[in-house]
């Protein structure tokens, strides 16, 4: 259990609680490779038993006679190991040394065979944004959002140091409609033993851009969006938020660091303080842009832990598959089967709506 307190020296209440019952033993997660695409799939059937919203929230402060995941009473921000992890469980790395750095290449030369099935070392952590069950991150005070950023940065730094970690990802699913199993505002931090496929493709695009004289493709995208202007949602001294030119989702915002910086741990104090306000503003726009607060997914794209760090450019992607009440973008056969995404949104109009939403956020 790791606590991130806004005021040093906090003394935690000694609240007697029943021990939280451990989940029934489950087979360890594994990694299986699709031999037709080279993609790695995490096999974790035990996650079907993970905690879900019920009469007792495991992320609320514990009380006498009622067990909770987070002991010691009130807290600001807390991070702990997921009891139903998609990877690892023991925290050990090294069993899949062939995965370190990048995904294993397809073919017989890697010695894994057609049906590659490996242990899945890794770390899966939960980050609780507050002991307040009812207030989402968008509505927490700016100082608390800053504390969450500090926790993300600290865990990124520490997890990147572990042998075998290839990519650290901080993310949030907000709303049951997009997969959140608990109402209590929280996110997750994954330390992958390989660079997931989508991130690996981004790295490859960055390498290709350098061959054509573009030092950083992400810096180039940011410069272009700021110059063109029609998709900018909000901007500050250190951050720029815009709807991407090729937006996929009804509402989608990319938030870029205006300085070329690899990850959250590398931000200056000034950049973190600025980020607390801008990120909170972006999330609030998802609450007010439609006729109801939109469920959303948010993911921080950071540089990999080892190879290719110079290509990374810190940014967040926040998106919703909802236009509003009852209106949802459904992934269809061509998109899921062929991987050819069909966007049904107008990025420029979406940006305009999100800008207007800022006036009421």
């Amino acid at each position: 259990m790791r606590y991130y307190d806004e005021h040093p020296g906090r003394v935690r209440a000694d609240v007697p609680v029943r021990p939280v019952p451990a989940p029934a033993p489950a087979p360890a997660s594994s990694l299986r490779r699709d031999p037709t695409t080279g993609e790695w799939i995490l096999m974790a059937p035990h996650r079907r038993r993970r905690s879900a919203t019920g009469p007792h929230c495991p992320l609320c402060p514990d009380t006498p006679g009622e067990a909770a995941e987070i002991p010691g009473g009130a807290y600001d921000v807390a991070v702990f190991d997921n009891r139903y992890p998609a990877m690892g469980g023991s925290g050990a790395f090294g069993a899949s040394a062939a995965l370190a750095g990048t995904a294993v290449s397809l073919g017989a030369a890697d010695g894994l065979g057609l049906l590659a099935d490996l242990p899945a070392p890794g770390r899966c952590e939960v980050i609780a944004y507050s002991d307040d069950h009812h207030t989402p991150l968008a509505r927490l005070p700016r100082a608390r959002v800053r504390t969450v950023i500090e926790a993300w940065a600290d865990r990124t730094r520490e997890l990147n140091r572990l042998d075998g970690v290839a990519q650290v990802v901080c993310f949030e699913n907000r709303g049951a409609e997009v997969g959140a199993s608990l109402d209590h505002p929280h996110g997750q931090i994954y330390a992958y033993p390989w660079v997931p496929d989508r991130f690996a493709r981004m790295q490859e695009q960055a390498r290709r851009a350098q061959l054509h004289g573009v030092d950083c493709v992400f810096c180039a995208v940011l410069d272009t969006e700021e110059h063109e202007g029609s998709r900018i949602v909000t901007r500050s001294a250190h951050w720029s938020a815009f709807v991407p030119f090729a937006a996929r989702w009804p509402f989608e915002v990319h938030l870029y660091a205006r300085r070329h910086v690899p990850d959250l741990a590398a931000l200056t104090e000034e950049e973190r303080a600025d980020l607390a306000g801008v990120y909170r503003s972006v999330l609030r726009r998802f609450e007010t842009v439609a006729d109801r607060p939109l469920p959303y997914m948010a993911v921080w794209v950071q540089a990999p832990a080892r190879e290719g760090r110079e290509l990374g450019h810190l940014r967040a992607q926040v998106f919703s598959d909802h236009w509003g009440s009852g209106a949802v973008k459904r992934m269809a056969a061509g998109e899921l089967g062929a991987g050819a995404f069909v966007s049904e949104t107008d990025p420029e109009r979406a940006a305009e709506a999100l800008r207007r939403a800022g006036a009421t956020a």
Side-chain angles (χ1 to χ4, degrees):
M1 182 63 60
R2 303 166 187 88
Y3 295 100
Y4 295 85
D5 294 326
E6 292 170 7
H7 304 289
R10 182 172 187 173
V11 177
R12 305 199 174 279
D14 183 14
V15 181
V17 297
R18 299 191 313 270
V20 176
S29 300
S30 65
L31 276 165
R32 292 188 176 185
R33 188 183 58 183
D34 181 342
T36 67
T37 65
E39 295 175 297
W40 289 96
I41 311 299
L42 280 165
M43 312 299 291
H46 59 279
R47 280 182 53 78
R48 292 197 301 269
R49 300 200 301 272
R50 68 186 184 273
S51 301
T53 297
H56 304 296
C57 173
L59 302 186
C60 284
D62 52 33
T63 58
E66 184 176 310
E69 292 276 8
I70 304 173
Y75 63 90
D76 292 334
V77 175
V79 178
F80 58 94
D81 291 345
N82 195 320
R83 292 169 62 230
Y84 298 89
M87 297 173 288
S90 65
F93 281 91
S96 299
L99 289 169
T102 58
V104 175
S105 60
L106 179 64
D110 57 35
L112 295 174
L114 189 65
L115 301 181
D117 190 348
L118 300 174
R123 288 287 287 276
C124 298
E125 299 179 347
V126 176
I127 174 170
Y129 301 143
S130 165
D131 58 12
D132 183 345
H133 182 87
H134 300 288
T135 305
L137 186 57
R139 293 292 167 181
L140 288 172
R142 180 170 175 163
R144 179 57 52 81
V145 180
R146 170 68 184 272
T147 306
V148 170
I149 293 166
E150 294 294 339
W152 284 336
D154 181 64
R155 296 312 301 149
T156 295
R157 182 186 305 107
E158 292 302 314
L159 292 169
N160 272 344
R161 290 173 178 166
L162 296 179
D163 291 338
V165 170
Q167 183 82 55
V168 175
V169 180
C170 306
F171 65 94
E172 178 186 5
N173 299 312
R174 177 61 184 162
E177 302 94 328
V178 293
S181 56
L182 294 173
D183 289 337
H184 195 115
H186 71 288
Q188 300 187 63
I189 304 170
Y190 277 20
Y192 291 95
W194 86 105
V195 176
D197 187 64
R198 180 169 170 77
F199 286 11
R201 291 201 304 272
M202 292 176 181
Q203 288 286 101
E204 182 57 31
Q205 283 295 102
R207 290 190 182 92
R208 290 178 181 176
Q210 286 192 337
L211 294 177
H212 292 86
V214 178
D215 288 339
C216 173
V217 67
F218 309 109
C219 289
V221 166
L222 176 58
D223 289 345
T224 300
E225 290 291 353
E226 290 191 332
H227 177 76
E228 205 278 335
S230 66
R231 289 173 296 278
I232 294 291
V233 173
T234 188
R235 189 167 61 173
S236 68
H238 300 287
W239 300 89
S240 189
F242 56 90
V243 176
F245 178 72
R248 292 170 168 79
W249 300 102
F251 290 100
E252 178 176 357
V253 173
H254 291 189
L255 175 61
Y256 273 50
R258 299 184 71 190
R259 179 171 70 95
H260 182 78
V261 59
D263 55 26
L264 289 156
L267 294 174
T268 66
E269 290 294 317
E270 188 176 352
E271 288 168 334
R272 294 182 193 188
D274 193 24
L275 175 58
V278 175
Y279 191 62
R280 184 169 173 257
S281 171
V282 168
L283 296 185
R284 283 195 172 195
R285 293 167 199 269
F286 278 76
E287 288 197 332
T288 58
V289 71
D291 59 351
R292 51 156 288 186
L294 297 177
Y296 66 80
M297 291 166 273
V299 60
W300 281 95
V301 185
Q302 307 191 81
R306 292 180 172 53
E307 295 181 11
R309 281 185 61 79
E310 72 285 354
L311 298 174
H313 187 122
L314 178 64
R315 59 204 185 276
Q317 299 175 354
V318 185
F319 53 98
S320 179
D321 60 0
H322 284 58
W323 279 279
S325 299
V328 184
K329 160 64 180 174
R330 300 291 187 190
M331 296 278 279
E335 293 160 308
L336 292 173
F341 203 101
V342 178
S343 178
E344 298 170 1
T345 191
D346 182 320
E348 290 72 27
R349 289 187 178 181
E352 182 181 0
L354 287 161
R355 284 194 297 269
R356 290 198 308 268
T360 60

